[in-house]
Amino acid sequence: MAQSGDVYNIEIKEVHMNWGTKRQTQNRESVAGEGYIPIPAQKAKLFDIFNSNALKSTNPKTSEKLGVNLFDCYDQNGFVGKVKATGTSQAGDVYAKQFSGSGNLKLIGTWFQKIIFLLVTG
């Protein structure tokens, strides 16, 4: 199970900060402000960062569980929001490939924009 203090480094690219308008899939309309944080496969396995497939056999049935695929996200200024570990690189895999806002796909995109603003304005 993922633990507080587990850390990995990634390069954040424009597609991560603007997923709602830069994504390649066309299964829904573009939405400005959506973003996500990628999870490298080896880190998902090392830290046991699961997606909802890991909960398929739970009783009672659930698709979200705090500490499994749902997490409280904080930065140096405090609580950012709840993030959900989602996606998979292979159908049926239990390991997640990204974090996105739980119930709010703009959570991460908004957070990225806040960080960029702080870096630019000092």
Side-chain angles (χ1 to χ4, degrees):
M1 180 185 293
Q3 301 292 316
S4 178
D6 287 346
V7 175
Y8 64 91
N9 294 312
I10 53 163
E11 178 183 347
I12 299 296
K13 299 177 181 176
E14 185 176 353
V15 69
H16 305 136
M17 294 185 285
N18 297 297
W19 177 243
T21 56
K22 298 294 181 186
R23 64 187 176 334
Q24 298 299 311
T25 59
Q26 301 300 320
N27 58 353
R28 62 186 178 91
E29 294 293 318
S30 293
V31 180
E34 293 180 351
Y36 72 95
I37 299 171
I39 306 169
Q42 69 274 21
K43 297 302 181 181
K45 291 175 183 172
L46 176 66
F47 297 140
D48 288 333
I49 304 172
F50 298 108
N51 61 33
S52 61
N53 289 338
L55 298 169
K56 282 188 175 182
S57 62
T58 59
N59 191 9
K61 290 275 188 203
T62 185
S63 63
E64 293 182 343
K65 185 173 180 184
L66 197 59
V68 175
N69 69 333
L70 189 65
F71 302 91
D72 292 329
C73 179
Y74 295 85
D75 67 12
Q76 73 261 13
N77 295 315
F79 185 66
V80 174
K82 290 216 182 281
V83 295
K84 188 172 180 178
T86 62
T88 181
S89 56
Q90 190 173 321
D93 192 8
V94 297
Y95 294 101
K97 69 175 187 177
Q98 73 250 345
F99 287 111
S100 58
S102 178
N104 176 6
L105 295 177
K106 293 183 177 183
L107 177 74
I108 301 294
T110 301
W111 182 71
F112 282 144
Q113 294 306 316
K114 177 179 139 187
I115 291 170
I116 291 168
F117 176 78
L118 291 173
L119 289 172
V120 171
T121 61

